[in-house]
PDB file of all heavy atoms in Angstrom:
ATOM      1  N   VAL A  28     101.712 102.555  94.163  1.00 71.00           N
ATOM      2  CA  VAL A  28     102.669 102.283  93.088  1.00 71.00           C
ATOM      3  C   VAL A  28     103.458 103.542  92.759  1.00 71.00           C
ATOM      4  O   VAL A  28     104.686 103.512  92.626  1.00 71.00           O
ATOM      5  CB  VAL A  28     101.939 101.741  91.832  1.00 71.00           C
ATOM      6  CG1 VAL A  28     102.833 101.780  90.604  1.00 71.00           C
ATOM      7  CG2 VAL A  28     101.441 100.324  92.076  1.00 71.00           C
ATOM      8  N   MET A  29     102.777 104.655  92.630  1.00 71.00           N
ATOM      9  CA  MET A  29     103.450 105.911  92.304  1.00 71.00           C
ATOM     10  C   MET A  29     104.375 106.360  93.443  1.00 71.00           C
ATOM     11  O   MET A  29     105.478 106.842  93.200  1.00 71.00           O
ATOM     12  CB  MET A  29     102.436 107.006  91.979  1.00 71.00           C
ATOM     13  CG  MET A  29     101.600 106.721  90.731  1.00 71.00           C
ATOM     14  SD  MET A  29     102.568 106.381  89.254  1.00 71.00           S
ATOM     15  CE  MET A  29     103.212 107.993  88.911  1.00 71.00           C
ATOM     16  N   MET A  30     103.952 106.200  94.691  1.00 74.00           N
ATOM     17  CA  MET A  30     104.763 106.620  95.834  1.00 74.00           C
ATOM     18  C   MET A  30     106.035 105.790  95.969  1.00 74.00           C
ATOM     19  O   MET A  30     107.079 106.297  96.341  1.00 74.00           O
ATOM     20  CB  MET A  30     103.949 106.529  97.129  1.00 74.00           C
ATOM     21  CG  MET A  30     102.968 107.670  97.312  1.00 74.00           C
ATOM     22  SD  MET A  30     102.004 107.532  98.831  1.00 74.00           S
ATOM     23  CE  MET A  30     103.252 107.238 100.062  1.00 74.00           C
ATOM     24  N   HIS A  31     105.948 104.492  95.645  1.00 71.00           N
ATOM     25  CA  HIS A  31     107.090 103.599  95.837  1.00 71.00           C
ATOM     26  C   HIS A  31     107.952 103.480  94.591  1.00 71.00           C
ATOM     27  O   HIS A  31     108.922 102.731  94.589  1.00 71.00           O
ATOM     28  CB  HIS A  31     106.627 102.228  96.289  1.00 71.00           C
ATOM     29  CG  HIS A  31     105.941 102.232  97.629  1.00 71.00           C
ATOM     30  ND1 HIS A  31     105.861 103.324  98.460  1.00 71.00           N
ATOM     31  CD2 HIS A  31     105.290 101.265  98.286  1.00 71.00           C
ATOM     32  CE1 HIS A  31     105.204 103.028  99.545  1.00 71.00           C
ATOM     33  NE2 HIS A  31     104.834 101.779  99.468  1.00 71.00           N
ATOM     34  N   GLY A  32     107.599 104.196  93.537  1.00 65.00           N
ATOM     35  CA  GLY A  32     108.421 104.196  92.331  1.00 65.00           C
ATOM     36  C   GLY A  32     108.448 102.872  91.598  1.00 65.00           C
ATOM     37  O   GLY A  32     109.457 102.516  91.000  1.00 65.00           O
ATOM     38  N   ASN A  33     107.375 102.117  91.633  1.00 64.00           N
ATOM     39  CA  ASN A  33     107.314 100.821  90.964  1.00 64.00           C
ATOM     40  C   ASN A  33     106.904 100.944  89.503  1.00 64.00           C
ATOM     41  O   ASN A  33     106.293 100.045  88.951  1.00 64.00           O
ATOM     42  CB  ASN A  33     106.339  99.890  91.693  1.00 64.00           C
ATOM     43  CG  ASN A  33     106.800  99.572  93.092  1.00 64.00           C
ATOM     44  OD1 ASN A  33     107.971  99.736  93.415  1.00 64.00           O
ATOM     45  ND2 ASN A  33     105.894  99.124  93.921  1.00 64.00           N
ATOM     46  N   VAL A  34     107.252 102.054  88.880  1.00 67.00           N
ATOM     47  CA  VAL A  34     106.872 102.308  87.497  1.00 67.00           C
ATOM     48  C   VAL A  34     108.104 102.761  86.727  1.00 67.00           C
ATOM     49  O   VAL A  34     108.897 103.549  87.223  1.00 67.00           O
ATOM     50  CB  VAL A  34     105.795 103.423  87.416  1.00 67.00           C
ATOM     51  CG1 VAL A  34     105.437 103.730  85.983  1.00 67.00           C
ATOM     52  CG2 VAL A  34     104.564 103.043  88.211  1.00 67.00           C
ATOM     53  N   SER A  35     108.285 102.233  85.519  1.00 68.00           N
ATOM     54  CA  SER A  35     109.324 102.752  84.633  1.00 68.00           C
ATOM     55  C   SER A  35     108.705 102.935  83.252  1.00 68.00           C
ATOM     56  O   SER A  35     107.820 102.193  82.850  1.00 68.00           O
ATOM     57  CB  SER A  35     110.531 101.815  84.579  1.00 68.00           C
ATOM     58  OG  SER A  35     110.156 100.557  84.083  1.00 68.00           O
ATOM     59  N   VAL A  36     109.184 103.948  82.549  1.00 67.00           N
ATOM     60  CA  VAL A  36     108.571 104.335  81.283  1.00 67.00           C
ATOM     61  C   VAL A  36     109.637 104.414  80.205  1.00 67.00           C
ATOM     62  O   VAL A  36     110.723 104.951  80.428  1.00 67.00           O
ATOM     63  CB  VAL A  36     107.872 105.713  81.425  1.00 67.00           C
ATOM     64  CG1 VAL A  36     107.235 106.123  80.114  1.00 67.00           C
ATOM     65  CG2 VAL A  36     106.853 105.695  82.549  1.00 67.00           C
ATOM     66  N   THR A  37     109.330 103.851  79.026  1.00 70.00           N
ATOM     67  CA  THR A  37     110.165 104.036  77.843  1.00 70.00           C
ATOM     68  C   THR A  37     109.332 104.824  76.837  1.00 70.00           C
ATOM     69  O   THR A  37     108.240 105.285  77.166  1.00 70.00           O
ATOM     70  CB  THR A  37     110.593 102.683  77.236  1.00 70.00           C
ATOM     71  OG1 THR A  37     109.447 102.036  76.701  1.00 70.00           O
ATOM     72  CG2 THR A  37     111.276 101.797  78.271  1.00 70.00           C
ATOM     73  N   ASN A  38     109.811 104.942  75.615  1.00 69.00           N
ATOM     74  CA  ASN A  38     109.058 105.696  74.604  1.00 69.00           C
ATOM     75  C   ASN A  38     107.698 105.082  74.294  1.00 69.00           C
ATOM     76  O   ASN A  38     106.760 105.792  73.967  1.00 69.00           O
ATOM     77  CB  ASN A  38     109.863 105.811  73.314  1.00 69.00           C
ATOM     78  CG  ASN A  38     111.000 106.791  73.442  1.00 69.00           C
ATOM     79  OD1 ASN A  38     111.020 107.610  74.358  1.00 69.00           O
ATOM     80  ND2 ASN A  38     111.970 106.698  72.548  1.00 69.00           N
ATOM     81  N   THR A  39     107.591 103.765  74.368  1.00 68.00           N
ATOM     82  CA  THR A  39     106.341 103.113  73.970  1.00 68.00           C
ATOM     83  C   THR A  39     105.722 102.224  75.034  1.00 68.00           C
ATOM     84  O   THR A  39     104.644 101.689  74.842  1.00 68.00           O
ATOM     85  CB  THR A  39     106.566 102.239  72.719  1.00 68.00           C
ATOM     86  OG1 THR A  39     107.554 101.260  73.034  1.00 68.00           O
ATOM     87  CG2 THR A  39     106.976 103.073  71.532  1.00 68.00           C
ATOM     88  N   THR A  40     106.400 102.037  76.171  1.00 67.00           N
ATOM     89  CA  THR A  40     105.931 101.065  77.150  1.00 67.00           C
ATOM     90  C   THR A  40     105.990 101.629  78.560  1.00 67.00           C
ATOM     91  O   THR A  40     106.922 102.324  78.914  1.00 67.00           O
ATOM     92  CB  THR A  40     106.803  99.787  77.093  1.00 67.00           C
ATOM     93  OG1 THR A  40     106.868  99.325  75.751  1.00 67.00           O
ATOM     94  CG2 THR A  40     106.250  98.697  77.980  1.00 67.00           C
ATOM     95  N   VAL A  41     104.979 101.290  79.346  1.00 61.00           N
ATOM     96  CA  VAL A  41     104.982 101.597  80.772  1.00 61.00           C
ATOM     97  C   VAL A  41     105.036 100.256  81.499  1.00 61.00           C
ATOM     98  O   VAL A  41     104.188  99.392  81.285  1.00 61.00           O
ATOM     99  CB  VAL A  41     103.708 102.372  81.195  1.00 61.00           C
ATOM    100  CG1 VAL A  41     103.693 102.575  82.699  1.00 61.00           C
ATOM    101  CG2 VAL A  41     103.608 103.689  80.462  1.00 61.00           C
ATOM    102  N   PHE A  42     106.072 100.049  82.325  1.00 67.00           N
ATOM    103  CA  PHE A  42     106.206  98.837  83.119  1.00 67.00           C
ATOM    104  C   PHE A  42     105.754  99.143  84.538  1.00 67.00           C
ATOM    105  O   PHE A  42     106.182 100.123  85.131  1.00 67.00           O
ATOM    106  CB  PHE A  42     107.663  98.358  83.147  1.00 67.00           C
ATOM    107  CG  PHE A  42     108.151  97.866  81.819  1.00 67.00           C
ATOM    108  CD1 PHE A  42     108.812  98.718  80.957  1.00 67.00           C
ATOM    109  CD2 PHE A  42     107.937  96.547  81.443  1.00 67.00           C
ATOM    110  CE1 PHE A  42     109.263  98.267  79.736  1.00 67.00           C
ATOM    111  CE2 PHE A  42     108.385  96.090  80.219  1.00 67.00           C
ATOM    112  CZ  PHE A  42     109.053  96.947  79.351  1.00 67.00           C
ATOM    113  N   VAL A  43     104.882  98.277  85.071  1.00 67.00           N
ATOM    114  CA  VAL A  43     104.370  98.468  86.427  1.00 67.00           C
ATOM    115  C   VAL A  43     104.624  97.193  87.215  1.00 67.00           C
ATOM    116  O   VAL A  43     104.197  96.114  86.803  1.00 67.00           O
ATOM    117  CB  VAL A  43     102.858  98.775  86.418  1.00 67.00           C
ATOM    118  CG1 VAL A  43     102.329  98.921  87.838  1.00 67.00           C
ATOM    119  CG2 VAL A  43     102.555  99.999  85.589  1.00 67.00           C
ATOM    120  N   GLN A  44     105.324  97.324  88.327  1.00 65.00           N
ATOM    121  CA  GLN A  44     105.522  96.181  89.213  1.00 65.00           C
ATOM    122  C   GLN A  44     104.301  96.089  90.109  1.00 65.00           C
ATOM    123  O   GLN A  44     103.986  97.011  90.850  1.00 65.00           O
ATOM    124  CB  GLN A  44     106.783  96.359  90.058  1.00 65.00           C
ATOM    125  CG  GLN A  44     107.067  95.211  91.001  1.00 65.00           C
ATOM    126  CD  GLN A  44     107.444  93.938  90.263  1.00 65.00           C
ATOM    127  OE1 GLN A  44     108.133  93.980  89.277  1.00 65.00           O
ATOM    128  NE2 GLN A  44     106.965  92.822  90.756  1.00 65.00           N
ATOM    129  N   SER A  45     103.588  94.989  90.027  1.00 59.00           N
ATOM    130  CA  SER A  45     102.368  94.814  90.805  1.00 59.00           C
ATOM    131  C   SER A  45     102.687  94.778  92.289  1.00 59.00           C
ATOM    132  O   SER A  45     103.666  94.164  92.710  1.00 59.00           O
ATOM    133  CB  SER A  45     101.664  93.524  90.398  1.00 59.00           C
ATOM    134  OG  SER A  45     100.626  93.243  91.297  1.00 59.00           O
ATOM    135  N   THR A  46     101.838  95.392  93.092  1.00 55.00           N
ATOM    136  CA  THR A  46     102.008  95.338  94.541  1.00 55.00           C
ATOM    137  C   THR A  46     101.208  94.189  95.139  1.00 55.00           C
ATOM    138  O   THR A  46     101.355  93.876  96.307  1.00 55.00           O
ATOM    139  CB  THR A  46     101.536  96.657  95.190  1.00 55.00           C
ATOM    140  OG1 THR A  46     100.166  96.866  94.850  1.00 55.00           O
ATOM    141  CG2 THR A  46     102.379  97.813  94.730  1.00 55.00           C
ATOM    142  N   LEU A  47     100.358  93.550  94.331  1.00 58.00           N
ATOM    143  CA  LEU A  47      99.486  92.514  94.869  1.00 58.00           C
ATOM    144  C   LEU A  47      99.831  91.108  94.401  1.00 58.00           C
ATOM    145  O   LEU A  47      99.815  90.171  95.164  1.00 58.00           O
ATOM    146  CB  LEU A  47      98.028  92.815  94.485  1.00 58.00           C
ATOM    147  CG  LEU A  47      97.482  94.113  95.051  1.00 58.00           C
ATOM    148  CD1 LEU A  47      96.127  94.403  94.472  1.00 58.00           C
ATOM    149  CD2 LEU A  47      97.405  94.024  96.562  1.00 58.00           C
ATOM    150  N   SER A  48     100.135  90.955  93.119  1.00 57.00           N
ATOM    151  CA  SER A  48     100.345  89.608  92.588  1.00 57.00           C
ATOM    152  C   SER A  48     101.812  89.284  92.364  1.00 57.00           C
ATOM    153  O   SER A  48     102.138  88.225  91.861  1.00 57.00           O
ATOM    154  CB  SER A  48      99.564  89.421  91.293  1.00 57.00           C
ATOM    155  OG  SER A  48      99.987  90.361  90.331  1.00 57.00           O
ATOM    156  N   ASN A  49     102.710  90.207  92.696  1.00 51.00           N
ATOM    157  CA  ASN A  49     104.154  90.008  92.536  1.00 51.00           C
ATOM    158  C   ASN A  49     104.546  89.660  91.103  1.00 51.00           C
ATOM    159  O   ASN A  49     105.408  88.847  90.864  1.00 51.00           O
ATOM    160  CB  ASN A  49     104.676  88.936  93.497  1.00 51.00           C
ATOM    161  CG  ASN A  49     104.535  89.363  94.928  1.00 51.00           C
ATOM    162  OD1 ASN A  49     104.693  90.534  95.239  1.00 51.00           O
ATOM    163  ND2 ASN A  49     104.213  88.429  95.798  1.00 51.00           N
ATOM    164  N   SER A  50     103.866  90.259  90.158  1.00 48.00           N
ATOM    165  CA  SER A  50     104.210  90.046  88.757  1.00 48.00           C
ATOM    166  C   SER A  50     104.433  91.401  88.109  1.00 48.00           C
ATOM    167  O   SER A  50     104.075  92.432  88.653  1.00 48.00           O
ATOM    168  CB  SER A  50     103.091  89.299  88.040  1.00 48.00           C
ATOM    169  OG  SER A  50     101.917  90.072  88.051  1.00 48.00           O
ATOM    170  N   GLN A  51     105.053  91.358  86.961  1.00 43.00           N
ATOM    171  CA  GLN A  51     105.270  92.605  86.236  1.00 43.00           C
ATOM    172  C   GLN A  51     104.425  92.584  84.977  1.00 43.00           C
ATOM    173  O   GLN A  51     104.377  91.587  84.268  1.00 43.00           O
ATOM    174  CB  GLN A  51     106.744  92.764  85.874  1.00 43.00           C
ATOM    175  CG  GLN A  51     107.038  94.145  85.303  1.00 43.00           C
ATOM    176  CD  GLN A  51     108.514  94.344  85.070  1.00 43.00           C
ATOM    177  OE1 GLN A  51     109.112  93.643  84.278  1.00 43.00           O
ATOM    178  NE2 GLN A  51     109.086  95.299  85.769  1.00 43.00           N
ATOM    179  N   CYS A  52     103.737  93.663  84.732  1.00 43.00           N
ATOM    180  CA  CYS A  52     102.960  93.753  83.508  1.00 43.00           C
ATOM    181  C   CYS A  52     103.403  94.997  82.761  1.00 43.00           C
ATOM    182  O   CYS A  52     104.062  95.866  83.309  1.00 43.00           O
ATOM    183  CB  CYS A  52     101.469  93.799  83.798  1.00 43.00           C
ATOM    184  SG  CYS A  52     100.952  95.231  84.761  1.00 43.00           S
TER     185      CYS A  52
END
């Protein structure tokens, strides 16, 4: 996840694009 940049961060939230279930949490 870290290598492919599937993470975005705001002041209060971290969004992670799942590599396994194709969902965003």
Side-chain angles (χ1 to χ4, degrees):
V28 166
M29 296 305 289
M30 283 179 50
H31 297 353
N33 296 341
V34 178
S35 61
V36 180
T37 68
N38 286 343
T39 59
T40 308
V41 175
F42 292 94
V43 178
Q44 180 68 38
S45 170
T46 58
L47 297 172
S48 60
N49 295 324
S50 63
Q51 189 175 63
C52 62

